[in-house]
Amino acid sequence: MRKTVILVTGAGGQLGQELVRLTIPGCSVIGLDRGALDITDRDACMQAAAHHRPDAIIHAAAYTAVDRAESEPETAHRVNAAGARNMAEAAESVGSKFCYVSTDYVFDGTADRPYREQDPASPRTVYGKTKHEGEKATMDACSRAFVVRTSWLYGRHGANFVCTMLNLASKGSAIRVVNDQTGSPTYAFDLAGFIADLVQTEKYGIYHASNSGICTWYQFAQAIFEESGIRANVEPCATSEFPRPAPRPAYSVLGHDAMIREGFAPLRNWRDALRDFLASVRD
Ligand SMILES: NC(=O)c1ccc[n+]([C@@H]2O[C@H](COP(=O)([O-])OP(=O)(O)OC[C@H]3O[C@@H](n4cnc5c(N)ncnc54)[C@H](OP(=O)(O)O)[C@@H]3O)[C@@H](O)[C@H]2O)c1
């Protein structure tokens, strides 16, 4: 029997690498990194879809440099919006499902309760705006589409907050971390597992997928050191002390209503996931 073929774009990225390492019974996962497929090249997207004939495409390719996007809006748009449309159209051309991975940055971060999937988007950054355009292009171009928004992503492959904290601590640096931004850290391995399950269903639509529970970045840093048994010199500070080109959301907690409604188990608590991550990088 033919295996279900899942094509992953951006396979060299943090999430992409987790996806291509998954063992999914009955499925064959094909990863295309930027060298193998540049998603800004529409013809190349069409050819990749025609060649691999996937049942589902997981679109993990993205322009993720949040601050740099403020000075490179055309590039961010070309990748996050136009690139998503290219790939969603390519999926549609071969009858494939298409899953666009998106972000909490489509919201403005002013809420005082978890964002629901149907809340209106109100991005404040170039990155967030281009990702929201990518969501709309996905829904517009593909009749079998999923949008999965996540937040505070980290994993075993790529630069992320956890690795930065561990590096700083290993150098004995004094570390100051903002304590007035609240969200949910998400382990890329857990997110990859959910997306792999999701694309094998017909439960199309928008999903929020982050590890359960909430914390501030400072609390996240404290947990990283506690769980690693590292004594680090970490102090809380305010966002206003670290001006950045792209404003950061004060509150980016995503509610998981759609996952629950559609019968998926919410992702485990962020601290349990962090513990597993740290054990996997220690081994
Ligand atoms: N990281 C987070 O905290 C976070 C939070 C919320 C949502 N997300 C979303 O989650 C998804 C995965 O994020 P991630 O952390 O895995 O990002 P990542 O590590 O930056 O991976 C993105 C990948 O896309 C590739 N890419 C960039 N431009 C491309 C192009 N034109 N054609 C093909 N590939 C291209 C990048 O290649 P290069 O390395 O060569 O540029 C990189 O390998 C993204 O959609 C992101 O918006 C991330």
Side-chain angles (χ1 to χ4, degrees):
M1 207 171 84
R2 181 185 183 269
K3 284 190 164 185
T4 299
V5 177
I6 300 177
L7 194 67
V8 177
T9 66
Q14 185 167 230
L15 176 63
Q17 293 201 52
E18 291 288 356
L19 285 162
V20 297
R21 283 174 170 77
L22 287 179
T23 306
I24 314 170
C27 295
S28 132
V29 180
I30 300 167
L32 300 178
D33 63 13
R34 190 211 279 254
L37 174 64
D38 179 343
I39 55 140
T40 63
D41 180 341
R42 187 173 185 279
D43 290 345
C45 292
M46 288 292 178
Q47 279 164 21
H51 178 69
H52 294 288
R53 310 291 305 182
D55 299 284
I57 297 175
I58 302 174
H59 190 62
Y63 179 107
T64 56
V66 173
D67 286 324
R68 191 148 37 91
E70 296 297 312
S71 53
E72 293 183 350
E74 293 84 10
T75 312
H77 181 273
R78 197 161 57 244
V79 177
N80 290 341
R85 180 173 292 279
N86 289 343
M87 213 58 227
E89 287 179 355
E92 186 71 7
S93 73
V94 295
S96 169
K97 302 171 189 175
F98 184 72
C99 178
Y100 181 74
V101 184
S102 194
T103 170
D104 53 312
Y105 276 65
V106 301
F107 299 116
D108 61 15
T110 59
D112 54 8
R113 49 120 182 113
Y115 283 100
R116 302 188 183 109
E117 287 83 357
Q118 68 276 20
D119 282 339
S122 49
R124 295 168 65 210
T125 61
V126 168
Y127 168 71
K129 285 177 189 149
T130 59
K131 292 295 291 185
H132 182 49
E133 286 164 14
E135 292 186 358
K136 289 187 289 186
T138 294
M139 293 300 194
D140 189 39
C142 186
S143 52
R144 306 171 79 200
F146 309 92
V147 168
V148 177
R149 297 185 185 130
T150 191
S151 63
W152 296 22
L153 196 62
Y154 68 92
R156 292 170 288 190
H157 317 282
N160 57 61
F161 181 79
V162 185
C163 300
T164 303
M165 288 299 114
L166 294 174
N167 274 339
L168 289 172
S170 72
K171 291 180 191 140
S173 313
I175 305 169
R176 304 184 72 225
V177 183
V178 293
N179 199 25
D180 53 3
Q181 293 172 29
T182 300
S184 305
T186 304
Y187 183 17
F189 173 78
D190 290 3
L191 178 64
F194 165 65
I195 294 175
D197 287 347
L198 179 65
V199 299
Q200 293 178 73
T201 74
E202 310 272 319
K203 298 175 178 178
Y204 305 113
I206 302 177
Y207 291 81
H208 288 174
S210 48
N211 278 123
S212 302
I214 67 173
C215 60
T216 67
W217 286 109
Y218 171 67
Q219 291 165 337
F220 188 24
Q222 281 185 309
I224 293 164
F225 299 130
E226 283 166 19
E227 295 293 346
S228 319
I230 294 173
R231 285 173 74 101
N233 180 6
V234 56
E235 297 275 337
C237 69
T239 301
S240 55
E241 294 174 58
F242 279 105
R244 311 277 286 265
R248 296 304 196 262
Y251 184 88
S252 56
V253 179
L254 300 172
H256 306 132
D257 298 4
M259 288 178 85
I260 294 163
R261 188 187 62 235
E262 297 299 339
F264 296 100
L267 303 188
R268 61 186 159 168
N269 183 270
W270 67 267
R271 189 144 180 158
D272 296 333
L274 172 66
R275 201 173 297 123
D276 256 15
F277 166 77
L278 292 167
S280 78
V281 292
R282 256 194 312 270
D283 295 341

